[in-house]
């Protein structure tokens, strides 16, 4: 059993999608970031950066519990645990790591900044609104060009890189990215959204406090 500590954010949903896709049993525990519950001492023991999500795998690599924080690390851990959604050959695996890092280093943080200024603080910082909106559209262009020649972001196979990118794309209205202008992103987005595990992962089971 895996304990998932999460909230209803794109980062949180990356991991619940992965858990659903991999068929792993898990319990959901809420960490209400609106009430600063991420700063609770008990949560900080498993997530030193006080960010959600984090997991505790009760059956870790040596049979003892292990905690993992940071979504990229969690996704890689789960993929290696199940031997699913992460290729074994070095060339294909490198492509997954590239796009996973692209999401973590750019696509997620920049879209998060766009949300902050375009959705929650409209009119307070016009320069920031323009800057992050332009960068968001640039990143969508990067993704669209990649998907023009590949069914999935890392190649021909669905991987943890897709799982990482999808929940942020699902908030395209928040960061004012018209999907109709990104044909290949739209195709990929609709295909992933039709997957039952993605649908369940975007709306994880009832929480346990």
């Amino acid at each position: 059993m895996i304990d998932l500590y999460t909230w209803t954010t794109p980062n949180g949903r990356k991991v619940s999608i992965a858990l659903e896709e991999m068929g792993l049993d898990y319990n959901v525990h809420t960490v209400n970031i609106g009430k600063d519950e991420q700063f609770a001492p008990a949560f900080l023991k498993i997530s030193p950066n006080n960010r959600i999500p984090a997991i505790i795998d009760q059956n870790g690599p040596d049979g003892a519990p292990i905690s993992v924080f940071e979504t990229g690390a969690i996704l890689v851990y789960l993929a290696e645990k199940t031997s699913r959604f992460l290729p074994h050959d070095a060339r294909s695996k490198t492509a997954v790591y590239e796009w996973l890092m692209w999401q973590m280093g750019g696509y997620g943080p920049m879209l998060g900044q766009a949300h902050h200024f375009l959705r929650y603080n409209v009119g307070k910082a016009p320069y920031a609104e323009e800057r992050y909106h332009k960068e968001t559209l640039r990143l969508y262009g990067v993704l669209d060009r990649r998907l023009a020649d590949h069914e999935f972001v890392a190649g021909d196979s669905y991987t943890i890189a897709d799982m990482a990118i999808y929940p942020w794309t699902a908030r395209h209205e928040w960061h004012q990215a018209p999907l109709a202008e990104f044909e290949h992103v739209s195709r990929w987005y609709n295909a992933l959204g039709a997957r039952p595990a993605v649908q369940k992962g975007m709306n994880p089971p009832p929480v346990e406090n």
Side-chain angles (χ1 to χ4, degrees), residues 66-143:
I66 184 174
S67 62
V68 189
F69 74 103
E70 290 295 330
T71 55
I74 296 171
L75 291 174
V76 171
Y77 173 80
L78 294 175
E80 291 180 344
K81 177 182 177 70
T82 60
S83 296
R84 300 188 67 192
F85 305 111
L86 181 62
H88 296 293
D89 68 282
R91 187 175 298 274
S92 299
K93 184 183 292 186
T94 297
V96 175
Y97 288 155
E98 285 179 324
W99 289 98
L100 180 59
M101 297 306 113
W102 176 83
Q103 186 283 313
M104 294 179 62
Y107 196 70
M110 293 299 101
L111 271 55
Q113 290 294 328
H115 295 171
H116 179 79
F117 290 104
L118 295 173
R119 183 176 176 85
Y120 297 113
N121 293 278
V122 178
K124 292 183 179 180
Y127 170 78
E129 291 181 30
E130 181 181 8
R131 171 183 170 82
Y132 290 113
H133 188 228
K134 282 185 175 180
E135 180 62 5
T136 292
L137 297 181
R138 187 192 72 80
L139 290 165
Y140 266 73
V142 172
L143 183 59

Side-chain angles (χ1 to χ4, degrees), residues 177-200:
L179 281 185
E181 296 181 11
F182 300 97
E183 174 186 357
H184 308 293
V185 174
S186 183
R187 182 269 305 164
W188 166 87
Y189 175 75
N190 290 330
L192 264 61
R195 295 178 67 93
V198 170
Q199 294 172 6
K200 291 180 181 178

Side-chain angles (χ1 to χ4, degrees), residues 13-88:
R13 286 166 171 155
K14 294 180 197 176
V15 177
S16 50
I17 287 173
L19 289 165
E20 290 289 346
E21 290 283 11
M22 296 172 190
L24 294 168
D25 292 329
Y26 65 103
N27 289 322
V28 178
H29 306 272
T30 57
V31 180
N32 189 333
I33 61 177
K35 297 181 179 179
D36 290 338
E37 291 179 359
Q38 71 271 30
F39 297 105
F43 182 65
L44 284 172
K45 289 181 179 180
I46 62 173
S47 183
N49 196 34
N50 56 269
R51 295 287 187 271
I52 61 94
I55 66 168
I56 297 178
D57 183 0
Q58 301 298 336
N59 183 25
D62 53 1
I66 184 174
S67 62
V68 189
F69 74 103
E70 290 295 330
T71 55
I74 296 171
L75 291 174
V76 171
Y77 173 80
L78 294 175
E80 291 180 344
K81 177 182 177 70
T82 60
S83 296
R84 300 188 67 192
F85 305 111
L86 181 62
H88 296 293

